[in-house]
Amino acid sequence: MKCHGFLLNCWLYRLSFFHLVSPVNTSINQPAGYFPALTGVRAVAACMIFAQHYRPKAGQLPEILDLILYTFHVALPAFFVLSGFLITYRYETAFQNGTIRFSKYMLLRFARIYPLYLTLIIIVLIWQKNDSAWEWFLNLTLLKSFFDAEKFTGIAQAWSITVEEVFYFSAPLLFLGFRKLRIVAVFLVLLIGIGLVMLSQQGGGLSFMNNFPFMMEYTFFGRCFEFYCGYRLAVYLKHNPDMDKKGSFFTVTGVLAALAAFSLVAYAHTRKFTFPFPATPENLANNFVLPIGIALLFYGLVTEKTFFSRFLSLKPVQVFGKSSYAFYLIHAGVFYKFIYFNITTNKFFSFLLIGAAAVAIFLLFEEPVNQYIRRKLDARELRKKIKQQPDFLRQKA
Protein backbone atom coordinates (compact mmCIF):
# COMPACT_ATOMS: atom_id res chain seq x y z
CA MET A 1 0.00 0.00 0.00
CA LYS A 2 2.87 2.41 0.82
CA CYS A 3 4.40 1.75 -2.58
CA HIS A 4 1.06 2.28 -4.29
CA GLY A 5 0.62 5.65 -2.58
CA PHE A 6 4.05 6.80 -3.69
CA LEU A 7 3.46 5.65 -7.28
CA LEU A 8 0.08 7.41 -7.32
CA ASN A 9 1.75 10.63 -6.28
CA CYS A 10 4.30 10.28 -9.10
CA TRP A 11 1.44 9.71 -11.57
CA LEU A 12 -0.41 12.81 -10.41
CA TYR A 13 2.71 14.90 -10.96
CA ARG A 14 3.15 13.37 -14.36
CA LEU A 15 -0.39 14.43 -15.27
CA SER A 16 0.34 17.96 -14.07
CA PHE A 17 3.05 18.28 -16.73
CA PHE A 18 0.32 18.48 -19.38
CA HIS A 19 -1.36 21.50 -17.76
CA LEU A 20 1.47 24.02 -17.97
CA VAL A 21 -0.81 26.78 -19.22
CA SER A 22 -3.24 26.59 -16.31
CA PRO A 23 -3.48 29.61 -13.97
CA VAL A 24 -0.82 29.98 -11.32
CA ASN A 25 -3.30 29.63 -8.47
CA THR A 26 -3.87 26.00 -9.42
CA SER A 27 -0.21 25.10 -9.48
CA ILE A 28 1.33 22.21 -7.66
CA ASN A 29 1.54 22.28 -3.87
CA GLN A 30 1.88 25.99 -3.24
CA PRO A 31 2.74 26.37 0.45
CA ALA A 32 1.88 29.30 2.67
CA GLY A 33 4.08 32.21 1.73
CA TYR A 34 4.32 31.26 -1.93
CA PHE A 35 5.40 34.09 -4.25
CA PRO A 36 4.98 33.18 -7.94
CA ALA A 37 7.16 35.99 -9.26
CA LEU A 38 10.07 34.87 -7.08
CA THR A 39 9.70 31.30 -8.32
CA GLY A 40 9.98 32.83 -11.79
CA VAL A 41 13.19 34.55 -10.68
CA ARG A 42 14.62 31.09 -9.99
CA ALA A 43 13.96 30.19 -13.65
CA VAL A 44 15.72 33.32 -14.91
CA ALA A 45 18.63 32.76 -12.52
CA ALA A 46 19.05 29.17 -13.73
CA CYS A 47 19.25 30.41 -17.33
CA MET A 48 21.84 33.01 -16.34
CA ILE A 49 24.01 30.42 -14.61
CA PHE A 50 23.93 28.17 -17.68
CA ALA A 51 24.83 31.11 -19.94
CA GLN A 52 27.68 32.08 -17.60
CA HIS A 53 29.13 28.58 -17.48
CA TYR A 54 28.91 27.97 -21.23
CA ARG A 55 29.69 31.41 -22.65
CA PRO A 56 32.00 31.45 -25.70
CA LYS A 57 35.72 31.35 -25.07
CA ALA A 58 37.59 34.59 -24.48
CA GLY A 59 38.16 36.53 -27.70
CA GLN A 60 35.12 35.10 -29.52
CA LEU A 61 32.84 37.92 -28.32
CA PRO A 62 33.30 41.68 -27.89
CA GLU A 63 34.98 42.33 -24.55
CA ILE A 64 31.97 44.09 -23.04
CA LEU A 65 29.60 41.24 -23.96
CA ASP A 66 32.01 38.67 -22.56
CA LEU A 67 32.17 40.67 -19.30
CA ILE A 68 28.36 40.80 -19.12
CA LEU A 69 28.05 37.05 -19.59
CA TYR A 70 30.77 36.43 -17.01
CA THR A 71 28.91 38.63 -14.52
CA PHE A 72 25.81 36.44 -14.88
CA HIS A 73 27.27 34.61 -11.87
CA VAL A 74 25.27 37.18 -9.87
CA ALA A 75 22.38 34.73 -10.25
CA LEU A 76 23.85 32.77 -7.34
CA PRO A 77 23.49 35.66 -4.84
CA ALA A 78 19.87 35.91 -6.04
CA PHE A 79 19.34 32.32 -4.86
CA PHE A 80 20.95 33.11 -1.50
CA VAL A 81 18.83 36.23 -0.96
CA LEU A 82 15.75 34.25 -1.96
CA SER A 83 16.57 31.46 0.50
CA GLY A 84 17.03 33.99 3.30
CA PHE A 85 13.69 35.56 2.42
CA LEU A 86 11.63 32.37 2.14
CA ILE A 87 13.03 30.60 5.21
CA THR A 88 12.47 33.75 7.27
CA TYR A 89 8.98 34.36 5.94
CA ARG A 90 7.86 30.78 6.58
CA TYR A 91 9.68 29.85 9.79
CA GLU A 92 10.98 32.86 11.74
CA THR A 93 7.73 33.50 13.60
CA ALA A 94 7.23 29.78 14.22
CA PHE A 95 10.68 29.53 15.82
CA GLN A 96 10.03 32.65 17.88
CA ASN A 97 6.68 31.32 19.13
CA GLY A 98 7.90 27.75 19.59
CA THR A 99 5.26 26.33 17.23
CA ILE A 100 7.75 24.26 15.23
CA ARG A 101 10.46 22.00 16.54
CA PHE A 102 13.95 22.29 15.12
CA SER A 103 13.94 18.57 14.31
CA LYS A 104 10.79 18.86 12.19
CA TYR A 105 12.11 21.97 10.45
CA MET A 106 15.35 20.18 9.53
CA LEU A 107 13.45 17.11 8.33
CA LEU A 108 11.39 19.36 6.06
CA ARG A 109 14.59 20.87 4.69
CA PHE A 110 16.01 17.38 4.30
CA ALA A 111 12.95 16.29 2.32
CA ARG A 112 13.35 19.21 -0.05
CA ILE A 113 17.09 19.07 -0.66
CA TYR A 114 18.72 15.75 0.11
CA PRO A 115 16.90 12.88 -1.69
CA LEU A 116 17.58 14.28 -5.17
CA TYR A 117 21.09 15.38 -4.25
CA LEU A 118 21.93 11.96 -2.76
CA THR A 119 20.68 10.16 -5.86
CA LEU A 120 22.65 12.35 -8.25
CA ILE A 121 25.88 12.52 -6.24
CA ILE A 122 26.05 8.72 -6.00
CA ILE A 123 25.56 8.46 -9.78
CA VAL A 124 28.25 11.09 -10.40
CA LEU A 125 30.85 9.66 -8.01
CA ILE A 126 30.39 6.16 -9.45
CA TRP A 127 30.56 7.54 -13.01
CA GLN A 128 33.78 9.39 -12.14
CA LYS A 129 35.21 6.19 -10.59
CA ASN A 130 36.04 8.21 -7.50
CA ASP A 131 37.72 5.88 -4.99
CA SER A 132 38.50 8.53 -2.35
CA ALA A 133 36.60 7.72 0.84
CA TRP A 134 37.33 11.27 2.06
CA GLU A 135 35.72 12.86 -1.00
CA TRP A 136 32.74 10.52 -0.75
CA PHE A 137 32.34 11.56 2.89
CA LEU A 138 32.55 15.29 2.15
CA ASN A 139 30.09 15.03 -0.74
CA LEU A 140 27.56 12.81 1.03
CA THR A 141 27.60 15.01 4.14
CA LEU A 142 27.50 18.30 2.19
CA LEU A 143 30.63 19.52 3.95
CA LYS A 144 32.84 19.95 0.92
CA SER A 145 32.70 23.73 0.63
CA PHE A 146 34.58 24.03 3.93
CA PHE A 147 37.57 22.49 2.11
CA ASP A 148 39.29 24.45 -0.64
CA ALA A 149 40.92 21.47 -2.38
CA GLU A 150 37.70 19.41 -2.42
CA LYS A 151 35.08 22.08 -3.13
CA PHE A 152 34.67 21.10 -6.80
CA THR A 153 34.69 17.32 -6.33
CA GLY A 154 31.60 15.30 -7.26
CA ILE A 155 28.99 17.72 -8.56
CA ALA A 156 31.25 20.76 -8.79
CA GLN A 157 28.55 23.41 -8.54
CA ALA A 158 27.04 21.77 -5.44
CA TRP A 159 29.51 23.67 -3.21
CA SER A 160 26.77 26.30 -2.93
CA ILE A 161 24.41 23.76 -1.36
CA THR A 162 26.77 23.60 1.63
CA VAL A 163 26.36 27.37 2.01
CA GLU A 164 22.57 26.95 1.91
CA GLU A 165 22.63 24.07 4.39
CA VAL A 166 24.72 26.03 6.89
CA PHE A 167 22.07 28.76 6.75
CA TYR A 168 19.25 26.25 7.19
CA PHE A 169 20.97 24.62 10.15
CA SER A 170 21.87 27.93 11.79
CA ALA A 171 18.58 29.70 11.02
CA PRO A 172 17.04 29.71 14.54
CA LEU A 173 20.23 31.15 16.05
CA LEU A 174 20.71 33.55 13.14
CA PHE A 175 17.14 34.82 13.45
CA LEU A 176 17.81 35.61 17.10
CA GLY A 177 21.08 37.34 16.22
CA PHE A 178 19.57 39.28 13.33
CA ARG A 179 16.65 40.35 15.52
CA LYS A 180 18.79 41.47 18.46
CA LEU A 181 21.99 42.67 16.79
CA ARG A 182 20.87 43.40 13.20
CA ILE A 183 23.81 43.97 10.84
CA VAL A 184 26.31 43.41 13.67
CA ALA A 185 25.36 39.72 13.60
CA VAL A 186 26.59 39.50 9.99
CA PHE A 187 29.99 40.86 10.98
CA LEU A 188 30.16 38.44 13.90
CA VAL A 189 29.61 35.56 11.45
CA LEU A 190 32.33 37.04 9.22
CA LEU A 191 34.67 37.27 12.22
CA ILE A 192 34.06 33.58 12.96
CA GLY A 193 35.11 32.80 9.38
CA ILE A 194 38.22 34.97 9.72
CA GLY A 195 39.06 33.22 12.99
CA LEU A 196 38.71 29.77 11.41
CA VAL A 197 41.03 30.78 8.57
CA MET A 198 43.64 32.08 11.01
CA LEU A 199 43.41 28.90 13.10
CA SER A 200 43.72 26.75 9.98
CA GLN A 201 46.77 28.67 8.78
CA GLN A 202 48.39 28.50 12.22
CA GLY A 203 47.78 24.75 12.30
CA GLY A 204 49.16 24.21 8.82
CA GLY A 205 45.78 23.34 7.31
CA LEU A 206 46.11 22.45 3.64
CA SER A 207 42.44 22.53 2.68
CA PHE A 208 40.03 23.33 5.53
CA MET A 209 39.28 27.07 5.53
CA ASN A 210 42.84 27.67 4.39
CA ASN A 211 42.67 31.19 2.93
CA PHE A 212 40.59 34.37 3.07
CA PRO A 213 39.50 34.61 -0.62
CA PHE A 214 38.17 31.03 -0.37
CA MET A 215 36.29 31.87 2.84
CA MET A 216 34.75 34.99 1.28
CA GLU A 217 33.59 33.32 -1.92
CA TYR A 218 32.71 29.73 -1.06
CA THR A 219 31.55 29.63 2.57
CA PHE A 220 28.55 30.91 4.52
CA PHE A 221 30.85 33.06 6.64
CA GLY A 222 31.59 35.26 3.64
CA ARG A 223 28.10 35.05 2.14
CA CYS A 224 25.99 35.71 5.25
CA PHE A 225 24.98 39.25 4.20
CA GLU A 226 23.11 37.86 1.18
CA PHE A 227 20.88 35.79 3.47
CA TYR A 228 20.57 38.76 5.84
CA CYS A 229 19.14 40.91 3.03
CA GLY A 230 16.52 38.22 2.42
CA TYR A 231 15.80 38.15 6.16
CA ARG A 232 15.29 41.92 6.32
CA LEU A 233 12.96 41.86 3.32
CA ALA A 234 10.84 39.08 4.84
CA VAL A 235 10.57 40.83 8.21
CA TYR A 236 9.59 44.08 6.53
CA LEU A 237 6.89 42.40 4.43
CA LYS A 238 5.47 40.57 7.44
CA HIS A 239 5.09 43.88 9.26
CA ASN A 240 3.91 45.74 6.13
CA PRO A 241 1.84 43.11 4.28
CA ASP A 242 0.47 45.38 1.52
CA MET A 243 1.23 43.23 -1.52
CA ASP A 244 -1.16 44.84 -3.97
CA LYS A 245 0.39 48.22 -4.61
CA LYS A 246 -0.65 50.21 -7.66
CA GLY A 247 1.85 51.28 -10.29
CA SER A 248 5.38 50.03 -10.89
CA PHE A 249 7.56 52.42 -8.88
CA PHE A 250 9.16 49.79 -6.64
CA THR A 251 9.65 47.32 -9.49
CA VAL A 252 11.35 49.91 -11.70
CA THR A 253 13.44 51.12 -8.76
CA GLY A 254 14.39 47.53 -7.98
CA VAL A 255 15.34 46.81 -11.59
CA LEU A 256 17.52 49.94 -11.72
CA ALA A 257 19.13 49.11 -8.37
CA ALA A 258 19.84 45.53 -9.48
CA LEU A 259 21.30 46.75 -12.79
CA ALA A 260 23.48 49.30 -10.98
CA ALA A 261 24.74 46.58 -8.62
CA PHE A 262 25.32 44.24 -11.58
CA SER A 263 27.36 46.96 -13.30
CA LEU A 264 29.39 47.53 -10.15
CA VAL A 265 30.20 43.80 -9.87
CA ALA A 266 31.24 43.75 -13.54
CA TYR A 267 33.44 46.81 -13.07
CA ALA A 268 34.93 45.43 -9.85
CA HIS A 269 35.95 42.28 -11.74
CA THR A 270 38.40 44.43 -13.73
CA ARG A 271 39.88 46.09 -10.62
CA LYS A 272 42.38 44.91 -8.00
CA PHE A 273 43.43 46.38 -4.68
CA THR A 274 46.93 47.86 -4.69
CA PHE A 275 47.39 46.83 -1.05
CA PRO A 276 46.99 43.50 0.78
CA PHE A 277 43.33 42.75 1.53
CA PRO A 278 41.56 39.45 2.34
CA ALA A 279 38.93 39.94 -0.40
CA THR A 280 38.85 41.21 -3.97
CA PRO A 281 36.80 44.25 -5.07
CA GLU A 282 34.54 41.81 -6.90
CA ASN A 283 33.98 39.81 -3.68
CA LEU A 284 32.95 42.94 -1.81
CA ALA A 285 30.62 44.19 -4.55
CA ASN A 286 29.10 40.73 -5.09
CA ASN A 287 28.62 39.86 -1.40
CA PHE A 288 27.79 43.23 0.16
CA VAL A 289 26.33 45.56 -2.51
CA LEU A 290 24.55 43.33 -5.02
CA PRO A 291 22.25 41.69 -2.40
CA ILE A 292 20.74 45.09 -1.57
CA GLY A 293 19.78 45.62 -5.23
CA ILE A 294 18.38 42.10 -5.44
CA ALA A 295 16.27 42.61 -2.29
CA LEU A 296 14.85 45.86 -3.69
CA LEU A 297 13.95 44.07 -6.93
CA PHE A 298 12.27 41.25 -5.01
CA TYR A 299 10.21 43.78 -3.07
CA GLY A 300 8.87 45.31 -6.27
CA LEU A 301 8.09 41.90 -7.79
CA VAL A 302 6.23 40.77 -4.68
CA THR A 303 4.20 43.92 -4.00
CA GLU A 304 3.29 45.16 -7.50
CA LYS A 305 1.44 43.62 -10.43
CA THR A 306 3.58 44.60 -13.41
CA PHE A 307 4.58 43.09 -16.73
CA PHE A 308 7.66 41.61 -15.05
CA SER A 309 5.77 39.95 -12.20
CA ARG A 310 3.06 38.65 -14.55
CA PHE A 311 5.63 37.16 -16.92
CA LEU A 312 7.52 35.52 -14.08
CA SER A 313 4.21 34.11 -12.80
CA LEU A 314 3.32 32.35 -16.06
CA LYS A 315 2.84 28.62 -15.49
CA PRO A 316 5.67 27.45 -17.82
CA VAL A 317 8.06 29.82 -16.04
CA GLN A 318 6.77 28.54 -12.69
CA VAL A 319 7.38 24.92 -13.61
CA PHE A 320 10.91 25.66 -14.76
CA GLY A 321 11.50 27.75 -11.64
CA LYS A 322 10.42 24.86 -9.44
CA SER A 323 12.73 22.61 -11.46
CA SER A 324 15.69 24.97 -11.05
CA TYR A 325 17.26 22.92 -8.24
CA ALA A 326 17.36 19.81 -10.44
CA PHE A 327 18.57 21.96 -13.35
CA TYR A 328 21.35 23.44 -11.22
CA LEU A 329 22.58 19.99 -10.18
CA ILE A 330 22.62 18.49 -13.69
CA HIS A 331 23.48 21.47 -15.90
CA ALA A 332 27.25 20.96 -15.59
CA GLY A 333 29.67 18.10 -15.20
CA VAL A 334 28.84 14.47 -15.98
CA PHE A 335 25.32 15.08 -17.28
CA TYR A 336 26.29 17.90 -19.63
CA LYS A 337 29.29 15.91 -20.89
CA PHE A 338 27.06 12.94 -21.63
CA ILE A 339 24.82 15.14 -23.79
CA TYR A 340 27.80 16.87 -25.43
CA PHE A 341 29.59 13.65 -26.42
CA ASN A 342 26.57 11.48 -27.18
CA ILE A 343 23.68 13.67 -28.36
CA THR A 344 24.59 17.20 -29.47
CA THR A 345 27.40 19.73 -29.19
CA ASN A 346 24.98 22.63 -29.71
CA LYS A 347 24.75 24.53 -26.42
CA PHE A 348 21.23 25.80 -27.03
CA PHE A 349 19.88 22.32 -27.72
CA SER A 350 21.85 21.06 -24.72
CA PHE A 351 20.11 23.70 -22.61
CA LEU A 352 16.71 22.56 -23.87
CA LEU A 353 17.49 18.91 -23.17
CA ILE A 354 18.81 19.62 -19.68
CA GLY A 355 15.82 21.86 -18.99
CA ALA A 356 13.39 19.14 -20.09
CA ALA A 357 15.24 16.57 -18.00
CA ALA A 358 15.12 18.88 -14.96
CA VAL A 359 11.36 19.35 -15.31
CA ALA A 360 10.88 15.60 -15.60
CA ILE A 361 13.08 14.99 -12.55
CA PHE A 362 11.08 17.54 -10.57
CA LEU A 363 7.68 16.19 -11.57
CA LEU A 364 8.48 12.48 -11.36
CA PHE A 365 11.00 12.27 -8.53
CA GLU A 366 11.98 15.40 -6.59
CA GLU A 367 8.54 16.70 -5.64
CA PRO A 368 6.81 13.32 -5.19
CA VAL A 369 9.56 12.17 -2.82
CA ASN A 370 9.39 15.50 -0.97
CA GLN A 371 5.62 15.21 -0.54
CA TYR A 372 5.89 11.54 0.45
CA ILE A 373 8.31 12.36 3.27
CA ARG A 374 6.16 15.30 4.38
CA ARG A 375 3.07 13.10 4.55
CA LYS A 376 4.98 10.60 6.67
CA LEU A 377 6.03 13.40 9.03
CA ASP A 378 2.45 14.69 9.26
CA ALA A 379 1.18 11.18 10.00
CA ARG A 380 3.78 10.74 12.74
CA GLU A 381 2.83 14.09 14.26
CA LEU A 382 -0.83 13.07 14.25
CA ARG A 383 -0.08 9.75 15.97
CA LYS A 384 1.89 11.57 18.67
CA LYS A 385 -0.98 14.00 19.30
CA ILE A 386 -3.48 11.12 19.57
CA LYS A 387 -1.23 9.31 22.08
CA GLN A 388 -1.02 12.46 24.20
CA GLN A 389 -4.82 12.71 24.48
CA PRO A 390 -6.70 11.25 27.49
CA ASP A 391 -7.90 7.65 27.08
CA PHE A 392 -11.56 8.54 26.56
CA LEU A 393 -10.70 10.98 23.75
CA ARG A 394 -8.47 8.40 22.08
CA GLN A 395 -11.33 5.91 22.09
CA LYS A 396 -13.57 8.45 20.34
CA ALA A 397 -10.83 9.14 17.79
Side-chain angles (χ1 to χ4, degrees), residues 87-132:
I87 296 299
T88 303
Y89 197 90
R90 294 173 182 172
Y91 296 107
E92 194 261 351
T93 301
F95 279 127
Q96 192 173 359
N97 296 338
T99 55
I100 187 171
R101 296 191 312 277
F102 179 74
S103 59
K104 182 177 180 181
Y105 158 76
M106 285 305 298
L107 285 170
L108 291 174
R109 292 293 86 210
F110 170 89
R112 170 58 67 189
I113 298 296
Y114 200 67
L116 177 59
Y117 173 79
L118 177 64
T119 302
L120 294 178
I121 192 60
I122 289 175
I123 292 172
V124 168
L125 290 174
I126 292 175
W127 184 282
Q128 293 174 342
K129 298 180 181 180
N130 189 315
D131 59 358
S132 169

Side-chain angles (χ1 to χ4, degrees), residues 177-342:
F178 291 164
R179 193 163 55 246
K180 299 291 186 181
L181 302 176
R182 297 179 179 267
I183 190 67
V184 174
V186 175
F187 289 104
L188 290 177
V189 171
L190 182 59
L191 284 174
I192 293 172
I194 292 172
L196 287 173
V197 172
M198 294 175 68
L199 286 173
S200 177
Q201 291 179 342
Q202 287 295 319
L206 299 178
S207 183
F208 175 75
M209 299 290 292
N210 63 347
N211 64 80
F212 290 108
F214 165 75
M215 183 273 291
M216 289 296 298
E217 185 168 357
Y218 293 103
T219 75
F220 177 76
F221 305 107
R223 314 296 296 250
C224 182
F225 184 70
E226 292 153 272
F227 295 92
Y228 177 75
C229 287
Y231 167 86
R232 294 303 308 172
L233 175 61
V235 170
Y236 182 82
L237 280 175
K238 289 172 77 173
H239 288 90
N240 302 272
D242 181 10
M243 298 188 190
D244 194 22
K245 297 182 184 294
K246 295 181 180 180
S248 58
F249 173 79
F250 292 103
T251 301
V252 172
T253 301
V255 169
L256 293 175
L259 286 175
F262 178 93
S263 301
L264 179 62
V265 174
Y267 174 75
H269 174 64
T270 67
R271 305 287 97 184
K272 291 184 179 180
F273 288 123
T274 57
F275 51 89
F277 196 77
T280 65
E282 184 179 5
N283 282 150
L284 298 179
N286 186 81
N287 296 11
F288 295 100
V289 178
L290 178 66
I292 298 173
I294 292 172
L296 290 172
L297 173 60
F298 284 1
Y299 180 75
L301 292 174
V302 166
T303 59
E304 295 175 337
K305 302 297 181 184
T306 63
F307 168 79
F308 294 106
S309 64
R310 290 190 181 95
F311 171 77
L312 292 171
S313 299
L314 291 174
K315 189 60 182 294
V317 182
Q318 293 290 288
V319 172
F320 187 56
K322 292 177 180 181
S323 308
S324 60
Y325 176 54
F327 181 88
Y328 183 71
L329 290 177
I330 68 173
H331 84 280
V334 167
F335 302 99
Y336 179 82
K337 289 178 181 178
F338 176 83
I339 291 174
Y340 184 87
F341 289 110
N342 295 279

Side-chain angles (χ1 to χ4, degrees), residues 13 24 26-31 34 39-40 42-43 112 315-327 358-359 362-363 366-367:
Y13 272 85
V24 169
T26 61
S27 63
I28 305 166
N29 292 314
Q30 291 183 1
Y34 180 80
T39 299
R42 291 171 57 188
R112 170 58 67 189
K315 189 60 182 294
V317 182
Q318 293 290 288
V319 172
F320 187 56
K322 292 177 180 181
S323 308
S324 60
Y325 176 54
F327 181 88
V359 170
F362 170 76
L363 293 173
E366 179 188 346
E367 187 64 3

